[in-house]
Coordinates of all heavy atoms in Angstrom, one line a residue:
A417 N 8.2 11.6 -18.5 CA 7.3 11.4 -17.5 C 6.7 12.7 -16.9 O 7.3 13.7 -17.1 CB 7.9 10.6 -16.3
G418 N 5.6 12.6 -16.3 CA 4.9 13.8 -15.7 C 4.6 13.6 -14.3 O 4.4 12.5 -13.8
I419 N 4.4 14.7 -13.6 CA 4.0 14.7 -12.2 C 2.8 15.7 -12.0 O 3.0 16.9 -12.3 CB 5.1 15.1 -11.2 CG1 6.2 14.0 -11.2 CG2 4.5 15.3 -9.8 CD1 5.9 12.8 -10.4
G420 N 1.6 15.3 -11.6 CA 0.5 16.2 -11.3 C 0.7 16.8 -10.0 O 1.1 16.2 -9.0
T421 N 0.4 18.1 -9.9 CA 0.5 18.9 -8.7 C -0.8 19.6 -8.4 O -1.7 19.6 -9.2 CB 1.6 19.9 -8.7 OG1 1.4 20.8 -9.8 CG2 3.0 19.2 -9.0
S422 N -0.9 20.1 -7.2 CA -2.1 20.8 -6.7 C -2.5 22.0 -7.4 O -3.6 22.5 -7.4 CB -2.1 21.0 -5.2 OG -0.9 21.8 -4.9
S423 N -1.5 22.7 -8.1 CA -1.7 23.9 -8.8 C -0.5 24.2 -9.7 O 0.5 23.5 -9.6 CB -1.9 25.1 -7.8 OG -0.7 25.4 -7.1
G424 N -0.7 25.2 -10.5 CA 0.5 25.6 -11.3 C 1.6 26.2 -10.5 O 2.8 25.9 -10.8
Q425 N 1.3 26.9 -9.4 CA 2.3 27.4 -8.5 C 3.1 26.3 -7.9 O 4.3 26.3 -7.7 CB 1.7 28.3 -7.5 CG 1.3 29.7 -8.0 CD 2.5 30.6 -8.2 OE1 3.1 30.6 -9.2 NE2 2.7 31.4 -7.2
A426 N 2.3 25.2 -7.5 CA 2.9 24.0 -6.9 C 3.9 23.3 -7.9 O 4.9 22.8 -7.5 CB 1.9 23.1 -6.4
A427 N 3.5 23.4 -9.2 CA 4.3 22.8 -10.2 C 5.7 23.5 -10.3 O 6.7 22.9 -10.4 CB 3.6 22.7 -11.5
I428 N 5.6 24.9 -10.3 CA 6.8 25.7 -10.4 C 7.7 25.5 -9.2 O 8.9 25.2 -9.3 CB 6.4 27.2 -10.5 CG1 5.7 27.4 -11.9 CG2 7.7 28.0 -10.4 CD1 5.1 28.8 -12.0
F429 N 7.1 25.5 -8.0 CA 7.8 25.3 -6.7 C 8.5 23.9 -6.7 O 9.7 23.9 -6.4 CB 6.8 25.4 -5.6 CG 7.4 25.2 -4.2 CD1 8.3 26.1 -3.7 CD2 7.2 24.0 -3.5 CE1 8.8 25.9 -2.4 CE2 7.7 23.8 -2.3 CZ 8.6 24.7 -1.7
S430 N 7.8 22.9 -7.1 CA 8.3 21.5 -7.1 C 9.5 21.4 -8.1 O 10.5 20.8 -7.8 CB 7.2 20.5 -7.4 OG 6.2 20.6 -6.5
A431 N 9.3 22.0 -9.3 CA 10.3 21.9 -10.3 C 11.6 22.6 -9.9 O 12.7 22.1 -10.2 CB 9.8 22.6 -11.6
V432 N 11.5 23.7 -9.2 CA 12.7 24.4 -8.8 C 13.4 23.8 -7.6 O 14.6 23.6 -7.6 CB 12.3 25.9 -8.5 CG1 13.5 26.6 -7.8 CG2 11.9 26.6 -9.8
I433 N 12.6 23.5 -6.5 CA 13.3 23.0 -5.3 C 13.7 21.5 -5.5 O 14.5 21.0 -4.7 CB 12.4 23.1 -4.1 CG1 11.1 22.2 -4.1 CG2 12.0 24.5 -3.8 CD1 10.5 21.9 -2.8
N434 N 13.4 20.9 -6.6 CA 13.9 19.6 -7.0 C 15.4 19.8 -7.4 O 16.1 18.8 -7.5 CB 13.1 19.0 -8.1 CG 13.3 17.5 -8.2 OD1 13.6 16.8 -7.2 ND2 13.2 16.9 -9.4
L435 N 15.8 21.0 -7.7 CA 17.1 21.3 -8.3 C 17.9 22.1 -7.3 O 19.1 22.0 -7.2 CB 17.0 22.0 -9.6 CG 16.3 21.2 -10.7 CD1 16.0 22.2 -11.9 CD2 17.1 20.0 -11.2
A436 N 17.3 23.1 -6.7 CA 18.0 24.2 -5.9 C 17.8 24.0 -4.5 O 16.7 23.7 -4.0 CB 17.6 25.6 -6.4
M437 N 18.8 24.3 -3.7 CA 18.8 24.2 -2.2 C 19.3 25.5 -1.6 O 19.8 26.3 -2.4 CB 19.5 22.9 -1.7 CG 18.9 21.6 -2.2 SD 19.7 20.2 -1.5 CE 18.8 18.9 -2.4
S438 N 19.3 25.6 -0.3 CA 19.9 26.7 0.4 C 21.3 27.0 -0.1 O 22.1 26.1 -0.1 CB 19.8 26.5 1.9 OG 20.3 27.7 2.5
G439 N 21.5 28.3 -0.5 CA 22.9 28.7 -0.9 C 23.0 28.7 -2.5 O 23.9 29.2 -3.0
D440 N 22.0 28.1 -3.1 CA 22.0 28.1 -4.6 C 21.2 29.3 -5.2 O 20.6 30.1 -4.4 CB 21.3 26.8 -5.1 CG 22.0 25.6 -4.8 OD1 23.3 25.7 -4.6 OD2 21.4 24.5 -4.7
N441 N 21.3 29.5 -6.5 CA 20.6 30.5 -7.1 C 19.9 30.0 -8.4 O 20.3 29.0 -9.0 CB 21.5 31.7 -7.4 CG 22.6 31.4 -8.4 OD1 22.3 31.3 -9.6 ND2 23.8 31.3 -7.9
I442 N 18.9 30.7 -8.8 CA 18.2 30.4 -10.1 C 18.1 31.7 -10.9 O 18.1 32.8 -10.4 CB 16.8 29.8 -9.8 CG1 16.0 30.8 -9.0 CG2 16.9 28.5 -9.1 CD1 14.5 30.4 -8.8
L443 N 18.0 31.5 -12.2 CA 17.8 32.6 -13.1 C 16.4 32.6 -13.6 O 15.9 31.6 -14.1 CB 18.8 32.5 -14.3 CG 20.3 32.2 -14.0 CD1 21.1 32.3 -15.3 CD2 20.8 33.2 -13.0
V444 N 15.7 33.8 -13.4 CA 14.3 33.9 -13.6 C 14.0 35.0 -14.6 O 14.5 36.1 -14.5 CB 13.6 34.2 -12.3 CG1 12.1 34.4 -12.5 CG2 13.8 33.1 -11.3
A445 N 13.2 34.7 -15.7 CA 12.9 35.7 -16.7 C 12.0 36.8 -16.0 O 11.2 36.5 -15.1 CB 12.1 35.1 -17.8
K446 N 12.2 38.0 -16.5 CA 11.3 39.1 -15.9 C 9.9 39.1 -16.5 O 9.0 39.6 -16.0 CB 12.0 40.5 -16.2 CG 12.0 40.9 -17.7 CD 12.6 42.3 -17.8 CE 12.6 42.8 -19.2 NZ 13.1 44.2 -19.3
Q447 N 9.8 38.4 -17.7 CA 8.5 38.4 -18.4 C 7.7 37.1 -17.9 O 7.6 36.1 -18.7 CB 8.6 38.4 -19.9 CG 9.4 39.6 -20.4 CD 10.8 39.3 -20.7 OE1 11.4 38.5 -20.0 NE2 11.4 40.0 -21.6
I448 N 7.2 37.1 -16.7 CA 6.5 35.9 -16.2 C 5.3 36.4 -15.4 O 5.2 37.6 -15.0 CB 7.3 34.9 -15.4 CG1 7.9 35.6 -14.2 CG2 8.4 34.3 -16.3 CD1 8.7 34.6 -13.3
Y449 N 4.4 35.5 -15.1 CA 3.2 35.7 -14.3 C 3.7 36.3 -12.9 O 4.6 35.9 -12.3 CB 2.5 34.4 -14.1 CG 1.5 34.3 -13.0 CD1 0.4 35.1 -13.0 CD2 1.7 33.3 -12.0 CE1 -0.5 35.0 -11.9 CE2 0.8 33.2 -11.0 CZ -0.3 34.0 -10.9 OH -1.2 33.9 -9.9
G450 N 2.9 37.3 -12.4 CA 3.2 38.0 -11.2 C 3.4 37.0 -10.0 O 4.2 37.2 -9.1
G451 N 2.5 36.0 -9.9 CA 2.6 35.1 -8.8 C 3.8 34.3 -8.8 O 4.4 34.0 -7.8
A452 N 4.3 33.9 -10.0 CA 5.6 33.2 -10.2 C 6.7 34.1 -9.8 O 7.7 33.7 -9.2 CB 5.7 32.7 -11.6
T453 N 6.6 35.4 -10.1 CA 7.7 36.4 -9.8 C 7.9 36.4 -8.3 O 9.0 36.3 -7.7 CB 7.3 37.8 -10.3 OG1 7.3 37.7 -11.7 CG2 8.4 38.8 -9.9
T454 N 6.7 36.6 -7.5 CA 6.9 36.7 -6.1 C 7.3 35.4 -5.4 O 8.1 35.4 -4.5 CB 5.5 37.1 -5.4 OG1 4.5 36.3 -5.9 CG2 5.2 38.5 -5.8
L455 N 6.9 34.2 -6.0 CA 7.3 32.9 -5.5 C 8.8 32.8 -5.6 O 9.6 32.4 -4.7 CB 6.6 31.8 -6.2 CG 7.2 30.4 -6.1 CD1 7.1 29.9 -4.6 CD2 6.5 29.4 -7.0
L456 N 9.3 33.1 -6.9 CA 10.7 32.8 -7.2 C 11.7 33.8 -6.7 O 12.8 33.5 -6.4 CB 10.9 32.6 -8.7 CG 10.1 31.4 -9.3 CD1 10.1 31.4 -10.8 CD2 10.5 30.1 -8.7

Side-chain angles (χ1 to χ4, degrees):
I419 293 284
T421 60
S422 55
S423 67
Q425 285 285 85
I428 295 170
F429 178 73
S430 301
V432 171
I433 66 164
N434 199 32
L435 300 167
M437 298 184 181
S438 181
D440 293 334
N441 65 76
I442 57 176
L443 308 186
V444 178
K446 70 177 184 178
Q447 302 96 330
I448 58 173
Y449 163 61
T453 298
T454 51
L455 166 64
L456 298 173

